DNA sequence: TGAATTGTTATCGT
DNA sequence: AACGATAACAATTC
């Protein structure tokens, strides 16, 4: 389930494939995933050169040469596949398409880029205003702006519990269920703790934990649980997520699963006292 | 068969 | 009015 580290990994892999390429054609096979509409996006994309590929929160952002943007959100099960370029196309011409293809770009090197998405929750958005395309997004947790003071400002005077607050993309952008649980464990904070009850030292600990966890996950190319997102290694280094019933690696107590705001949540009851 | 999974949006209450 | 909690929603896999 792609969160910030997985999206970052996807962008890095996508970069050499798309940057500098001109889009020759675009086809949608599930119109509800395309905004504002399939015809307008097709018209907007054809002939455009992709100048840069980067990430904002969990969005993949492609800068186009007319100053507009193509945003892709993978949601639960979105992923990219592509054919070999030029010479390779002939070799692969008869190869079957990947499963669940929802959109196809044809690039000027004859490569085909497939957006695959079993659950059809992903989004492909063309916009001339980045802010309105992404919706309101908060601070990037790996940016220099994400200081202890900035995090303290977000947490202050909020009685919301830490877990739903950290999942709110308009506050801190890019965290999802796995890395919120991992960050809270590392900071030794309970997910149900009200945000405004943190001591300054705990705010610092949370900031450091979030950055450490995200960097470690990017270094390992993200977390792979199933067919949705292959090739990451972080699943072998998670401390609490998905480890209910197993022993805490720090204290030996048993990891517990609970439900916070309709989300599966994992804690060590000893390391993360309420 | 039902539970689980995502982020966004709507709604209700304080 | 802003905030917080909750539910609904999109669709599929196991």
């Amino acid at each position: 389930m792609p969160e910030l580290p997985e999206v970052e990994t996807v962008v890095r892999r996508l970069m050499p494939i798309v940057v500098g390429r001109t889009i020759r054609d675009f086809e949608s096979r599930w119109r509800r995933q395309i905004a504002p509409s399939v015809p307008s996006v097709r018209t907007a994309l054809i002939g455009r050169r992709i100048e840069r590929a980067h990430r904002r929160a969990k969005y993949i952002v492609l800068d186009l040469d007319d100053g507009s943007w193509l945003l892709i959100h993978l949601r639960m099960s979105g992923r990219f596949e592509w054919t070999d370029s030029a010479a390779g196309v002939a070799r692969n011409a008869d190869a079957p398409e990947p499963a669940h293809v929802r959109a196809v770009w044809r690039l000027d090197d004859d490569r085909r880029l497939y957006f695959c998405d079993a659950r059809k929750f992903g989004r492909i958005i063309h916009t001339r205003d980045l802010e309105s395309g992404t919706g309101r997004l908060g601070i990037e947790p790996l940016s220099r702006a994400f200081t202890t003071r900035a995090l303290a400002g977000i947490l202050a005077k909020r009685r919301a519990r830490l877990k739903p607050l950290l999942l709110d993309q308009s506050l801190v952008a890019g965290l999802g269920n796995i890395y919120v649980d991992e960050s809270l464990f590392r900071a030794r904070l309970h997910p149900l703790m009200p945000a405004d009850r943190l001591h300054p030292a705990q705010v610092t600990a949370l900031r450091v934990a979030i950055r450490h966890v995200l960097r470690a996950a990017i270094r390992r190319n993200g977390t792979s649980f199933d067919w949705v997102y292959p090739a990451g290694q972080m699943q072998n280094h998670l401390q609490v997520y998905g480890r209910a019933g197993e022993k805490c690696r720090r204290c030996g107590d048993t990891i517990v699963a609970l439900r916070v705001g309709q989300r599966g949540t994992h804690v060590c009851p000893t390391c993360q006292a309420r």
Side-chain angles (χ1 to χ4, degrees):
Chain A
M1 282 123 258
E3 302 178 27
L4 187 154
E6 290 76 28
V7 177
E8 180 67 29
T9 303
V10 169
V11 167
R12 289 178 186 183
R13 288 175 180 163
L14 214 46
M15 249 181 242
I17 307 300
V18 301
V19 173
R21 298 273 65 81
T22 295
I23 298 167
R24 289 276 183 246
D25 200 3
F26 172 73
E27 173 201 352
S28 159
R29 300 189 191 170
W30 195 254
R31 57 155 75 148
R32 310 178 64 144
Q33 300 189 277
I34 314 295
S37 73
V38 173
S40 68
V41 171
R42 209 174 104 86
T43 305
L45 290 186
I46 292 177
R48 296 280 63 74
R49 204 176 90 102
I50 300 164
E51 305 218 296
R52 210 158 79 88
H54 52 112
R55 179 191 61 74
R56 169 74 171 116
K58 301 176 195 176
Y59 286 90
I60 297 161
V61 182
L62 304 182
D63 296 4
L64 305 180
D65 62 357
D66 64 350
S68 66
W69 291 274
L70 187 66
L71 308 175
I72 296 121
H73 200 302
L74 303 173
R75 289 280 187 107
M76 285 199 71
S77 59
R79 60 193 174 85
F80 281 101
E81 295 207 22
W82 47 81
T83 61
D84 293 340
S85 65
V89 166
R91 192 165 67 235
N92 280 348
D94 299 327
E97 274 191 2
H100 312 301
V101 173
R102 309 301 180 197
V104 187
W105 292 260
R106 188 168 58 80
L107 305 177
D108 61 353
D109 59 357
D110 271 338
R111 195 191 293 276
R112 274 167 207 282
L113 178 65
Y114 298 107
F115 177 71
C116 310
D117 186 3
R119 293 185 180 76
K120 301 178 179 171
F121 294 174
R123 290 291 175 267
I124 297 172
I125 302 157
H126 179 258
T127 182
R128 298 182 190 282
D129 174 14
L130 197 49
E131 296 276 310
S132 75
T134 58
R136 216 170 74 246
L137 290 175
I139 195 165
E140 282 286 330
L142 291 179
S143 72
R144 298 187 66 130
F146 189 62
T147 57
T148 297
R149 178 177 292 195
L151 181 57
I154 290 167
L155 301 177
K157 295 177 184 165
R158 289 183 161 269
R159 283 161 312 179
R161 299 163 302 175
L162 286 174
K163 168 113 186 190
L165 191 137
L166 291 173
L167 285 172
D168 186 336
Q169 301 298 297
S170 72
L171 302 176
V172 180
L175 293 174
N177 211 27
I178 297 174
Y179 298 114
V180 166
D181 282 7
E182 292 296 308
S183 298
L184 288 172
F185 170 81
R186 193 168 172 89
R188 302 187 63 181
L189 293 168
H190 196 281
L192 292 176
M193 185 167 182
D196 62 0
R197 295 250 297 273
L198 265 66
H199 303 136
Q202 294 176 309
V203 177
T204 303
L206 181 55
R207 171 187 176 270
V208 170
I210 289 170
R211 290 165 71 95
H212 180 279
V213 164
L214 291 176
R215 287 212 177 95
I218 290 172
R219 195 162 61 238
R220 304 197 149 99
N221 297 318
T223 301
S224 306
F225 280 123
D226 49 26
W227 47 272
V228 170
Y229 180 83
Q233 286 303 313
M234 188 63 185
Q235 64 279 7
N236 303 319
H237 302 269
L238 298 177
Q239 303 299 310
V240 285
Y241 187 89
R243 297 193 66 238
E246 296 177 41
K247 294 263 172 277
C248 173
R249 297 195 172 106
R250 193 176 157 274
C251 75
D253 198 358
T254 303
I255 305 296
V256 173
L258 51 141
R259 206 115 194 119
V260 180
Q262 305 147 225
R263 293 290 184 252
T265 300
H266 312 74
V267 283
C268 170
T270 299
C271 296
Q272 298 166 271
R274 274 185 81 165

